[in-house]
């Protein structure tokens, strides 16, 4: 009997920066978040992934940046592909080749773009034709924040009540607001505790219930600020929410300290620039690197000042970006 033929499919997806953070799950297996979140896809930063299912393979093969991946990372990818194989009623292993143009595992949402690209490429490679909502739900199973990298532009991930209604959708297109994210890379090494491990610790912090108590209000304020392009309101709520998340991290058991001394230096300077009238604000994901958000007309000025700060190794400049797509 002739083996079925499978197409080789490639997809590209972008990491996203969360304005209102996702931290903690109410269901770890389904990655159902404790709260809704808001984000922006980052144009220019991307993961490109190619998938081919091959009946001759005896296991999944994953090649990242030219290196064959084994161990827990391969197991996570294979587990995710099992979900797709189940949907397609298929029992064939896959060959995956993936590459980023930005550091992985350093708090720049590399897992978001990785699983968004993998969800799109792998689902098409097995012949599934999933809509955006279904793709967002699927990507969420690999990495919660990946659900937000499926739609384009400015995105809201609704926490939902179950697997069926926990997905992300665009609240405004990429060209809605001329924001720029200046990603200050202070450390490009892989963090010792990844986001998945961190989410599992969130409930151990006595501050997590306090963070969650008013998160809906922060989501509403941030959404309104984005839609009205109100930078002052946006800056206030984005920084407040970031500080809440890192307070939870630092008081979890065991505590998570992602920041470096240089992180504080960047944050302090951004606050001072805003006091001087420059529309800039900051937010930090699960890592030491700082995202400095500015209106585009100030981006070059702030980028030059950031480059002079101690510890800044590299700056990525990203505008609001599109959703995941085939390539």
């Amino acid at each position: 009997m002739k083996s079925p033929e499978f197409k080789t499919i490639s997809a590209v997806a972008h990491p996203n920066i969360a304005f209102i953070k996702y931290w903690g799950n109410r269901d770890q297996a389904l990655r159902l978040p404790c709260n809704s979140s808001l984000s922006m896809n980052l144009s220019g930063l991307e993961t490109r992934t190619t998938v081919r299912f091959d009946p001759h393979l005896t296991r999944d093969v994953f090649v990242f940046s030219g290196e064959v991946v084994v161990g827990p990372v391969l197991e996570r990818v294979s587990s995710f592909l099992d979900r797709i194989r189940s949907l397609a009623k298929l029992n064939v292993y896959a060959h995956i080749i993936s590459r980023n143009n930005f550091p992985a595992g350093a708090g720049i949402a590399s897992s978001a773009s990785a699983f968004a690209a993998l969800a799109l490429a792998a689902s098409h490679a097995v012949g599934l034709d999933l809509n955006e909502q279904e793709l967002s739900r699927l990507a969420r199973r690999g990495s919660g924040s990946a659900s937000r990298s499926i739609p384009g532009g400015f995105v809201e991930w609704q926490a939902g009540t179950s697997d069926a209604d926990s997905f992300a959708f665009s609240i405004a297109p990429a060209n809605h607001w001329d924001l720029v994210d200046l990603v200050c890379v202070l450390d490009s090494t892989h963090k010792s505790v990844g986001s998945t491990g961190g989410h599992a610790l969130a409930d151990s912090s006595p501050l997590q219930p306090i963070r969650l108590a008013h998160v809906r209000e922060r989501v509403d304020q941030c959404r309104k600020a984005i839609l009205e392009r109100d930078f002052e309101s946006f800056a206030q709520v984005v920084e407040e929410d970031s500080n809440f998340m890192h307070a939870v991290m630092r008081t979890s058991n065991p505590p998570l300290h992602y920041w470096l001394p240089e992180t504080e230096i960047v944050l302090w300077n951004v606050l001072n620039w805003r006091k001087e009238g420059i529309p800039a604000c900051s937010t930090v994901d699960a890592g030491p690197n700082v995202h400095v958000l500015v209106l585009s007309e100030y981006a070059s000025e702030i980028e030059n000042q950031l480059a002079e700060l101690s510890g800044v190794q590299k700056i990525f400049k990203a505008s609001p970006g599109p959703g995941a797509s085939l390539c």
Side-chain angles (χ1 to χ4, degrees):
M1 183 176 177
K2 186 178 179 181
S3 299
E5 295 184 1
F6 295 96
K7 294 181 179 179
T8 299
I9 302 291
S10 298
V12 60
H14 305 273
N16 62 76
I17 177 58
F19 303 141
I20 303 298
K21 305 297 189 184
Y22 151 53
W23 196 249
N25 291 314
R26 64 184 191 276
D27 186 313
Q28 298 289 352
L30 294 176
R31 297 184 191 269
L32 298 179
C34 291
N35 62 275
S36 298
S37 56
L38 287 165
S39 65
M40 177 182 92
N41 284 352
L42 301 179
S43 180
L45 305 184
E46 63 183 34
T47 299
R48 288 183 176 267
T49 299
T50 299
V51 177
R52 177 174 55 85
F53 284 84
D54 185 347
H56 299 100
L57 291 176
T58 57
R59 62 178 177 84
D60 292 317
V61 177
F62 179 34
V63 179
F64 181 75
S65 294
E67 300 289 334
V68 177
V69 178
V70 296
V73 174
L74 175 61
E75 291 171 9
R76 183 176 177 182
V77 168
S78 289
S79 178
F80 181 73
L81 290 176
D82 285 343
R83 174 73 179 161
I84 295 174
R85 283 186 276 257
S86 176
L87 290 171
K89 297 179 174 57
L90 181 73
N91 189 25
V92 177
Y93 293 107
H95 191 273
I96 310 106
I97 300 175
S98 189
R99 184 178 297 274
N100 291 350
N101 67 352
F102 63 97
I108 315 180
S110 57
S111 66
S113 54
F115 281 99
L118 182 58
L120 182 58
S123 62
H124 275 268
V126 296
L128 295 174
D129 185 18
L130 305 180
N131 61 32
E132 184 178 272
Q133 183 183 122
E134 292 167 331
L135 278 169
S136 179
R137 289 175 52 215
L138 174 62
R140 190 199 74 231
R141 298 292 293 271
S143 168
S145 56
S147 66
R148 297 192 307 242
S149 285
I150 294 294
F154 297 86
V155 174
E156 179 170 347
W157 172 18
Q158 63 183 21
T161 59
S162 67
D163 172 61
D165 62 354
S166 183
F167 56 86
F169 52 90
S170 296
I171 62 168
N175 63 0
H176 168 72
W177 199 9
D178 58 350
L179 279 184
V180 170
D181 183 7
L182 300 171
V183 187
C184 296
V185 178
L186 307 172
D187 186 354
S188 60
T189 59
H190 207 288
K191 57 199 178 190
S192 58
V193 179
S195 296
T196 296
H199 288 300
L201 296 175
D203 287 340
S204 69
S205 167
L207 298 184
Q208 177 73 336
I210 298 172
R211 184 185 81 85
L212 295 175
H214 298 287
V215 70
R216 288 185 182 180
E217 296 169 21
R218 294 196 296 278
V219 168
D220 291 342
Q221 179 183 338
C222 189
R223 185 193 308 109
K224 185 173 186 289
I226 292 169
L227 295 178
E228 296 180 357
R229 295 184 282 271
D230 180 348
F231 194 89
E232 183 176 347
S233 178
F234 173 78
Q236 183 273 323
V237 73
V238 165
E239 290 184 346
E240 178 183 283
D241 194 78
S242 178
N243 288 335
F244 262 124
M245 182 181 73
H246 284 275
V248 169
M249 292 173 172
R250 293 182 179 198
T251 53
S252 65
N253 185 20
L256 298 174
H257 292 278
Y258 285 121
W259 291 5
L260 298 171
E262 292 82 3
T263 305
E264 295 275 13
I265 291 172
V266 175
L267 297 177
W268 183 86
N269 275 275
V270 172
L271 283 174
N272 276 336
W273 292 333
R274 193 157 75 252
K275 289 177 182 177
E276 295 170 357
I278 297 174
C281 68
S282 60
T283 187
V284 185
D285 276 347
N289 302 314
V290 183
H291 294 254
V292 180
L293 301 158
V294 299
L295 296 180
S296 61
E297 61 190 282
Y298 296 91
S300 294
E301 175 187 351
I302 295 301
E303 183 177 10
N304 290 336
Q305 294 192 57
L306 287 168
E308 295 177 358
L309 296 181
S310 172
V312 175
Q313 300 176 1
K314 186 177 180 63
I315 299 173
F316 291 100
K317 185 177 181 179
S319 300
S325 62
L326 296 176
C327 57

